Amino acid sequence: MSVMGSTSTYRQTLLDRLAGARRHTDDLFDIVRAEALYDRPIPERHRIVFYIGHLEAFDWNLVRSHFGLEPFADAHDRLFAFGIDPVDGGLPDDPPSAWPALAEVHAYCDRARAAVDLSITGLDRDPDRELADRFEVATEHRLMHAETLAYMLHQLPYDRKRATAEPDAPAGRATGARITIPAGNATLGRARGDGFGWDNEFERHTVGVPAFTIDMHAVTNREFLAFRDGGGYTRRELWDDTAWAWKEQHGVRHPAFWRDSGSAGWRHRGMFSECALPLDAPVYVSLAEATAFARARNASLPTEAEFHRAAYGTPGGIEREYPWGDEAPDATRGNFDFARFEPVDAGAYPAGDSAFGVADLVGNGWEWTSTPFAPFEGFMPFPFYPGYSANFFDGHHFVMKGGSARSAACMLRRSFRNWFQPHYPYVYAKFRCVTR
């Protein structure tokens, strides 16, 4: 294939991938009614309007800094550049009037999006490694926001958004079974030159993992309800000092996705409507709540290495790319790749089980680990985005693995690492227990 032919194919593939990612985020913003676009559904996050501008500003800032292009709206480039993740309890207090009018935001977005596309169509040769990484970062960053925006819109009142249809869910049932994983190696990270990865995914390395026993299924709403009804939120010995202080300060007495309706019992706060609590679906909770539950069972949460061993290891010692094997993700393997907004019953996708028989390790909710988010040996920040990971190597964020129903298929790769603060209750995050 000629260089020009190869470059033409690359350009079109990139434009198609970026267009697909844009459709996911555009569809989410279309859910929000116009009068709600300046709402702040999650206190720790910006108003929704920020994210409309942020996605285009992020892409445009990546492109213009590489090509040395002149800004056309420098103030907006800076205003929409970065989100927030407060760790000290401080919350944003800006009024809606602090943000530009919606027409102004859309005009900026249209121009930024067109400028990014023009930079791609203007490529006359295959990009070098750094430029290729910039384009990958732009695409995956947007896909990440297609998930984190869903968390945010989940908290928006129902009358502030437009409902879309949710596909039927397959049935399953958690068994309560536990599986012993024999001692062996877990390969974490990604080798440089082995395709795109975010900076925190490198370098590839092997960790020896002693034998442990892990829940076959993630903890369900049924199991967590028993913990709550048994006084789990009032047993001081189950919570460390900071978790207890957070729980008491915010009056946390149940998972954020639950609502106590009194005589009608517990309800699940779905994206577009409430329903009876799905007892066989995994419970979505913060790390603090998951840890308290595990302590009540005289257990703990898995480490990142233990998750890898249970998910990708095999009895024969060979490691797989995915729990089920090396085949690319498809709809038979789990609840992921924007399949739906809600979790399904545990064990609903047996074709996605790991070689050891552990279910739902990819999809249906990220999985908390007990591992603080930190660099692997050989870590090198992106030169064009040095703070992406490094700003969060602070001991206040913990690694999550797997993926949720709103996780793009490309981010189900073995080396991908997600992370959140332990007291953040809005993520589609489940957990399971281990004993050693």
Side-chain angles (χ1 to χ4, degrees):
M1 180 180 291
S2 68
V3 172
M4 186 55 68
S6 173
T7 301
S8 176
T9 301
Y10 175 85
R11 288 197 306 254
Q12 192 57 53
T13 299
L14 178 57
L15 286 168
D16 290 346
R17 290 181 60 225
L18 192 54
R22 286 168 175 169
R23 282 193 294 273
H24 284 300
T25 51
D26 289 349
D27 287 349
L28 278 172
F29 290 128
D30 284 345
I31 288 173
V32 184
R33 298 189 181 278
E35 61 271 22
L37 288 170
Y38 288 78
D39 288 3
R40 192 196 309 276
I42 293 178
E44 295 89 344
R45 295 290 181 256
H46 279 309
R47 298 181 183 278
I48 297 170
V49 67
F50 163 81
Y51 297 94
I52 298 175
H54 171 65
L55 293 171
E56 309 308 331
F58 184 90
D59 294 354
W60 165 235
N61 285 333
L62 277 178
V63 167
R64 76 177 182 88
S65 62
H66 178 85
F67 291 108
L69 303 176
E70 289 296 321
F72 58 83
D74 187 56
H76 285 10
D77 292 346
R78 288 182 277 106
L79 177 67
F80 294 116
F82 299 107
I84 50 175
D85 184 27
V87 297
D88 58 0
L91 299 177
D93 61 358
D94 50 284
S97 60
W99 296 93
L102 192 60
E104 183 179 342
V105 175
H106 281 312
Y108 169 79
C109 291
D110 290 345
R111 188 166 179 182
R113 186 175 288 194
V116 169
D117 288 352
L118 184 62
S119 73
I120 295 172
T121 57
L123 289 173
D124 60 1
R125 62 178 63 87
D126 286 351
D128 59 23
R129 180 72 266 160
E130 181 183 308
L131 181 56
D133 280 348
R134 286 178 186 245
F135 287 137
E136 292 291 339
V137 162
T139 303
E140 289 204 0
H141 168 265
R142 186 177 290 266
L143 290 169
M144 289 179 193
H145 272 292
E147 180 168 2
T148 58
L149 283 167
Y151 305 156
M152 175 179 290
L153 300 188
H154 214 114
Q155 302 303 314
L156 195 65
Y158 296 132
D159 62 358
R160 308 289 278 176
K161 51 192 172 184
R162 303 178 184 88
T164 64
E166 182 84 353
D168 292 337
R173 182 67 186 266
T175 64
R178 311 197 73 225
I179 295 174
T180 297
I181 310 296
N185 291 332
T187 301
L188 280 65
R190 194 171 191 83
R192 297 194 188 278
D194 187 23
F196 173 75
W198 292 84
D199 56 6
N200 65 76
E201 295 180 51
F202 301 99
E203 268 287 334
R204 183 182 179 99
H205 61 288
T206 299
V207 177
V209 182
F212 62 97
T213 299
I214 189 168
D215 294 340
M216 178 180 179
H217 299 104
V219 172
T220 63
N221 284 310
R222 185 192 309 275
E223 293 169 303
F224 204 86
L225 182 60
F227 165 78
R228 187 219 171 263
D229 289 350
Y233 281 86
T234 62
R235 292 176 58 187
R236 178 65 181 83
E237 73 275 12
L238 301 180
W239 305 76
D240 64 33
D241 290 345
T242 55
W244 183 264
W246 162 76
K247 180 182 69 67
E248 292 301 293
Q249 178 183 353
H250 296 281
V252 178
R253 297 295 183 267
H254 57 79
F257 289 85
W258 293 12
R259 188 180 72 82
D260 186 357
S261 65
S263 60
W266 288 101
R267 307 280 288 173
H268 170 70
R269 295 179 56 188
M271 174 64 94
F272 300 115
S273 64
E274 287 188 356
C275 65
L277 192 66
L279 295 176
D280 289 308
V283 64
Y284 287 166
V285 290
S286 67
L287 177 66
E289 292 164 295
T291 301
F293 179 97
R295 286 176 178 156
R297 280 194 173 179
N298 294 315
S300 58
L301 302 186
T303 64
E304 183 177 8
E306 287 170 337
F307 180 95
H308 270 255
R309 176 78 178 132
Y312 310 113
T314 67
I318 297 172
E319 292 181 277
R320 298 170 163 182
E321 288 302 310
Y322 300 97
W324 56 83
D326 296 335
E327 302 86 3
D330 65 55
T332 69
R333 307 291 189 177
N335 183 23
F336 46 63
D337 201 26
F338 308 105
R340 49 181 53 82
F341 282 102
E342 307 298 343
V344 301
D345 289 352
Y349 292 93
D353 289 0
S354 78
F356 293 114
V358 186
D360 305 326
L361 287 159
V362 171
N364 217 29
W366 290 93
E367 300 224 358
W368 286 111
T369 78
S370 60
T371 299
F373 182 56
F376 293 147
E377 186 174 353
F379 168 81
M380 293 189 296
F382 285 133
F384 55 86
Y385 195 177
Y388 170 72
S389 298
N391 286 352
F392 302 95
F393 295 151
D394 56 9
H396 297 296
H397 296 78
F398 287 78
V399 174
M400 307 169 81
K401 296 292 295 185
S404 81
R406 305 304 298 176
S407 298
C410 62
M411 289 182 287
L412 303 177
R413 59 181 178 269
R414 189 171 75 185
S415 58
F416 190 86
R417 308 169 82 201
N418 198 358
W419 69 91
F420 272 94
Q421 297 183 43
H423 307 141
Y424 194 69
Y426 308 111
V427 189
Y428 303 145
K430 63 185 191 291
F431 72 99
R432 64 189 79 213
C433 300
V434 301
T435 54
R436 304 175 181 94

